[in-house]
Amino acid sequence: MLCSHFDAGRCRSCTWLGTPYGEQLAEKQRLVEELLAGHPGTAWLPPAASAQLGIRNKAKMVVSGTVEDPTLGILNPAGAGVDLRDCPLHTPGIQAALPELAAFVTRAALTPYDVAARRGELKYLLVTESADGELMVRFVLRSQEPVARIRKHLPALLERLPAVMVASVNLQPEHKAVLEGEREIVLTGQESLRMRVGGVALHLRPQSFFQTNTAMAAELYRLARRWVGEVAPRTVWDLYCGVGGFALGLAGPGREILGVEISREAVASAERTRDEAGLSGVRFEAGDATAYALGSGAPPDLVVVNPPRRGIGSELSGWLEASGVRHVLYSSCNAQTLVRDLESMPALRPVRGQLLDMFPNTAHYEVLVLLERA
């Protein structure tokens, strides 16, 4: 028995949990190779396996129930809360913190948001754990009304959970399926969580994206360093750079790197990591990746793209096709959109690839592909 909630039918978020892990991995590899069958020259490395449990470094918990008896987890089809504070998918530090956070909801009198009635305050608890066991806790609220109570009881929470380095409130007043709003109120002196990955201590601010599987993220960046090292580009662009995982990991003597990311929070995080690490030749810009490429002058030797599930789209694909860029490193969480993008840049052919099981027990994955101009 891997998960009592899955076995009881209370939660089926890990849709493949009932499938033996070896079969999960083989099926993902088969699906990806089948999707890229139109590119027979791709040399596939064996898939990178993940642990099945205790790997998710971020918990996104819907808060339901009552102040006296809150549930942290998901909503069932009837709209009732299902408590998953002991979910074995989360890292041990998150599993240990969630019961304390549930007790904090009661102490601070944070009324869980009732979706059907459209009343209440606390919508979500978002908890992230670093590889060093440090935590960031975010309270997603409907309004500022409970903030004073959170501030009042926060010192006691920090005593009970000394691993909490960053605590904040996110305001999401709208009644719609959006996890968080634009405004963030940081409640602690420290504003970012250090995510140590592959020798680089990345800074993660509250609204910055980071891969949810730290071990697989480290493997992804290690693989990227090896492949990029073999083609030895002098200039690199990291488009959709996030907090700078690829850009900072690829930095080295004689190499100029530019990271472009639309989130200013993420760019601020990347710049802080760069400055603390003393990395020269690396700069970041806040802006749209496609707009930056289309408005640029001379292209770099290599471009890294790590887009969301929708892929990079026809405009950026078309620019890459016409640009003369020798190599593209494409990190994709959706091979269907990867294949669509490849159709728009036939001169850039996949020469090697590897699937990384970033999301075990589900149909999702990350796949890294190196493209080379024919």
Side-chain angles (χ1 to χ4, degrees), residues 89-105:
L89 191 65
H90 294 138
T91 56
I94 291 176
Q95 291 184 50
L98 288 173
E100 290 291 347
L101 290 169
F104 181 82
V105 171

Side-chain angles (χ1 to χ4, degrees), residues 4 27 45 50 63 66 154 166 222 224 248 271 365:
S4 61
E27 179 62 9
L45 295 175
S50 170
V63 184
T66 64
L154 186 60
V166 183
R222 185 200 64 78
L248 296 163
E271 290 177 333
Y365 50 80

Side-chain angles (χ1 to χ4, degrees), residues 215-331:
M216 285 293 98
E219 181 63 18
L220 178 67
Y221 297 146
R222 185 200 64 78
L223 187 64
R225 284 194 299 273
R226 180 158 66 85
W227 288 2
V228 170
E230 290 174 5
V231 300
R234 190 183 65 82
T235 54
V236 175
W237 289 357
D238 179 7
L239 305 182
Y240 310 93
C241 72
V243 295
F246 282 109
L248 296 163
L250 297 177
R255 182 174 293 161
E256 296 179 7
I257 297 180
L258 168 67
V260 181
E261 167 59 45
I262 200 163
S263 166
R264 292 187 179 277
E265 282 282 293
V267 168
S269 299
E271 290 177 333
R272 182 174 177 184
T273 301
R274 175 202 61 198
D275 295 344
E276 286 187 353
L279 296 173
S280 60
V282 184
R283 65 186 181 93
F284 296 94
E285 289 199 16
D288 179 76
T290 298
Y292 181 87
L294 268 58
S296 65
D301 300 326
L302 182 144
V303 174
V304 179
V305 290
N306 182 24
R309 290 187 61 79
R310 65 177 180 272
I312 63 175
S314 58
E315 281 191 288
L316 184 52
S317 297
W319 181 86
L320 287 167
E321 171 69 12
S323 67
V325 168
R326 292 298 306 166
H327 293 95
V328 174
L329 192 66
Y330 195 133
S331 183

Side-chain angles (χ1 to χ4, degrees), residues 58 124 126 138 140 170-172 178-184 206-208:
K58 185 172 184 178
Y124 300 97
L126 308 179
R138 301 172 65 204
V140 181
N170 179 273
L171 297 180
Q172 166 50 309
V178 176
L179 186 66
E180 58 190 61
E182 294 182 3
R183 187 178 176 196
E184 196 86 20
Q207 296 192 45
S208 300

Side-chain angles (χ1 to χ4, degrees), residues 9-273:
R10 289 188 293 270
C11 176
R12 289 302 176 107
S13 299
C14 296
T15 52
W16 285 18
L17 189 58
T19 303
Y21 185 63
E23 293 181 20
Q24 292 185 32
L25 211 56
E27 179 62 9
K28 291 182 185 185
Q29 184 70 26
R30 185 193 68 78
L31 290 170
V32 169
E33 290 194 33
E34 186 177 272
L35 284 168
L36 274 78
H39 304 276
T42 309
W44 287 101
L45 295 175
S50 170
Q52 274 191 275
L53 302 176
I55 50 86
R56 188 174 177 88
N57 60 32
K58 185 172 184 178
K60 302 177 182 180
M61 313 302 282
V62 178
V63 184
S64 189
T66 64
V67 170
E68 296 76 18
D69 188 22
T71 63
L72 311 182
I74 60 173
L75 298 180
N76 67 17
V82 177
D83 196 273
L84 300 175
R85 68 186 78 174
D86 60 344
C87 171
L89 191 65
H90 294 138
T91 56
I94 291 176
Q95 291 184 50
L98 288 173
E100 290 291 347
L101 290 169
F104 181 82
V105 171
T106 302
R107 285 199 304 274
L110 304 178
T111 307
Y113 184 64
D114 186 321
V115 175
R118 299 193 179 194
R119 63 171 177 262
E121 286 293 338
L122 181 58
K123 293 184 171 184
Y124 300 97
L125 273 171
L126 308 179
V127 188
T128 304
E129 183 180 20
S130 73
D132 296 325
E134 296 180 338
L135 297 172
M136 175 162 59
V137 177
R138 301 172 65 204
F139 302 88
V140 181
L141 301 176
R142 188 184 185 191
S143 77
Q144 283 190 250
E145 186 275 327
V147 173
R149 294 196 302 280
I150 292 175
R151 289 187 186 275
K152 174 184 176 181
H153 292 278
L154 186 60
L157 176 66
L158 298 180
E159 283 188 14
R160 298 179 71 89
L161 286 177
V164 175
M165 298 291 110
V166 183
S168 69
V169 163
N170 179 273
L171 297 180
Q172 166 50 309
E174 299 184 66
H175 180 82
K176 60 182 182 181
V178 176
L179 186 66
E180 58 190 61
E182 294 182 3
R183 187 178 176 196
E184 196 86 20
I185 303 170
V186 179
L187 306 174
T188 49
Q190 187 168 317
E191 296 185 349
S192 63
L193 183 69
R194 273 197 177 89
M195 298 292 289
R196 202 175 305 279
V197 184
V200 178
L202 300 170
H203 279 275
L204 187 63
R205 287 173 175 248
Q207 296 192 45
S208 300
F209 168 80
F210 186 73
Q211 298 281 6
T212 58
N213 186 329
T214 306
M216 285 293 98
E219 181 63 18
L220 178 67
Y221 297 146
R222 185 200 64 78
L223 187 64
R225 284 194 299 273
R226 180 158 66 85
W227 288 2
V228 170
E230 290 174 5
V231 300
R234 190 183 65 82
T235 54
V236 175
W237 289 357
D238 179 7
L239 305 182
Y240 310 93
C241 72
V243 295
F246 282 109
L248 296 163
L250 297 177
R255 182 174 293 161
E256 296 179 7
I257 297 180
L258 168 67
V260 181
E261 167 59 45
I262 200 163
S263 166
R264 292 187 179 277
E265 282 282 293
V267 168
S269 299
E271 290 177 333
R272 182 174 177 184
T273 301

